[in-house]
Amino acid sequence: MDLIGGVTLTITSDFSAVDPSLVEGETGTLNGEQALAYVRSRKDVDDQTNLARMERQRQFLKAFEEQIQGMSPDFAVTAYEELSDYVITDIASGRAVDVADRLKRYTGLPLLTIDGENTVEDGYWAYNLSEDSLEQTILQLFYEEI
């Protein structure tokens, strides 16, 4: 996050127990640590379920994507060089620029959520999937109507 100057978004939840700098309803630019808290936290945030956290992750990724799409192609080389100590790859920096250029034209598929119910089992949150919703999702993803 710090490499791109943070990600700007509107905080959608009360994070006072996790990070008091993340104030619900305020728009701000999240740095690396704040971004991690925003996308990872579940305890003491919203209804503490994974679905709420996943919605924040989607919001964050959309804001992140919008921000990097506005950057120059040279950013791919800068990011490649900055991350080289942390990543093992056989992709050359020129190829990374080509991939970054293709990603600007990429159209993602709609996000899917399998319906279900949040419950507490043995003191832990659980998400019990709807069998019908699961079946419909599998059919949608892996089969075509003839």
Side-chain angles (χ1 to χ4, degrees):
M1 286 317 97
D2 298 335
L3 181 62
I4 63 169
V7 172
T8 303
L9 52 73
T10 301
I11 307 302
T12 60
S13 306
D14 177 12
F15 275 82
S16 57
V18 177
D19 183 340
S21 70
L22 301 175
V23 178
E24 184 174 11
E26 287 190 4
T27 299
T29 302
L30 279 58
N31 63 30
E33 292 299 318
Q34 291 169 315
L36 275 175
Y38 193 72
V39 300
R40 282 187 174 173
S41 296
R42 186 166 77 173
K43 186 176 187 233
D44 298 324
V45 180
D46 291 324
D47 59 4
Q48 302 189 68
T49 64
N50 196 44
L51 289 177
R53 178 174 56 183
M54 287 171 34
E55 188 56 42
R56 288 193 310 275
Q57 291 169 347
R58 289 175 182 150
Q59 176 205 18
F60 178 84
L61 287 172
K62 182 178 180 189
F64 176 81
E65 178 185 2
E66 289 171 359
Q67 187 159 336
I68 62 171
Q69 281 188 345
M71 297 182 151
S72 75
D74 295 338
F75 174 74
V77 173
T78 302
Y80 183 91
E81 291 169 355
E82 289 288 326
L83 296 172
S84 65
D85 290 341
Y86 309 99
V87 176
I88 297 173
T89 182
D90 61 355
I91 298 174
S93 61
R95 180 74 177 129
V97 171
D98 292 341
V99 170
D101 186 50
R102 287 183 185 183
L103 286 174
K104 287 186 175 189
R105 296 185 307 270
Y106 174 75
T107 302
L109 298 172
L111 296 171
L112 300 172
T113 300
I114 299 171
D115 295 333
E117 180 181 344
N118 288 305
T119 60
V120 177
E121 298 175 3
D122 298 323
Y124 296 97
W125 281 99
Y127 187 70
N128 297 312
L129 299 175
S130 159
E131 292 293 327
D132 290 338
S133 180
L134 175 61
E135 181 180 329
Q136 290 304 311
T137 301
I138 290 170
L139 290 172
Q140 181 180 355
L141 287 173
F142 299 107
Y143 296 91
E144 293 181 23
E145 286 189 39
I146 300 177

